[in-house]
Amino acid sequence: MDFKLDQLISYLLLMSPKRIVLNAVQDDVIFGNGSLLHRRLLSALVMLAIHFNEDQSRLIKCVEDTTLPHEIFDVLPPNTPPTPLIVALGNTPYLATNFFLVMDGVCVCSNLRNGLEAAMALCAAYFVFGVLYPSDASTSLTFMER
């Protein structure tokens, strides 16, 4: 996975018409906490959304790091999609050490410790609950699935 992730990120940084924006995402990843692999996985997901002109907030949102699972509904904006969503506890997903998986304003998984677990839970939620990808993030999610 590490080699394919490197190839994807390199391609996006070199060839995407939005490479200036993507380089800013890459800079945030370098100075994050925890495993570089987990941070790079989340950055690849965000970069894909940017590259495909999709709404990255349909995939990942950030909330205060003191937020508890039962407070998620009150903290997220009212326009939050009912589809599965990674919620990073902190100012940026690259600095977060805890993640929630939220569906329809309800925290369905609150013990995700890194970006890899969060991304896997996101994919699993779409599959297990039979939820269709949102139209404004479907290309990124389909790419990640394959």
Side-chain angles (χ1 to χ4, degrees):
M1 180 175 96
D2 201 21
F3 178 69
K4 288 184 179 182
L5 197 56
D6 284 339
Q7 285 183 318
L8 173 63
I9 291 173
S10 294
Y11 173 80
L12 291 171
L13 291 173
L14 294 173
M15 303 302 288
S16 175
K18 300 189 181 235
R19 59 186 165 266
I20 293 172
V21 177
L22 298 178
N23 275 311
V25 171
Q26 181 67 12
D27 290 344
D28 288 345
V29 172
I30 292 170
F31 298 107
N33 293 328
S35 167
L36 183 60
L37 172 63
H38 300 154
R39 294 191 319 256
R40 286 180 30 248
L41 179 62
L42 287 179
S43 74
L45 186 57
V46 169
M47 287 178 176
L48 283 171
I50 293 169
H51 176 74
F52 291 129
N53 293 320
E54 294 182 329
D55 186 3
Q56 61 187 353
S57 68
R58 300 292 286 211
L59 304 170
I60 300 174
K61 287 196 185 272
C62 295
V63 297
E64 282 188 35
D65 55 353
T66 58
T67 304
L68 299 173
H70 66 276
E71 299 171 334
I72 269 302
F73 184 77
D74 299 327
V75 173
L76 290 175
N79 65 345
T80 302
T83 55
L85 174 72
I86 296 171
V87 175
L89 302 182
N91 295 331
T92 172
Y94 318 117
L95 297 174
T97 56
N98 290 314
F99 299 86
F100 295 158
L101 182 70
V102 174
M103 275 185 67
D104 204 14
V106 177
C107 180
V108 294
C109 188
S110 63
N111 59 348
L112 304 171
R113 301 290 172 221
N114 58 54
L116 178 61
E117 288 181 7
M120 289 179 5
L122 180 71
C123 292
Y126 277 105
F127 178 75
V128 169
F129 295 113
V131 178
L132 296 176
Y133 294 148
S135 60
D136 50 356
S138 63
T139 308
S140 299
L141 290 166
T142 302
F143 187 95
M144 190 172 84
E145 173 188 327
R146 293 178 182 189

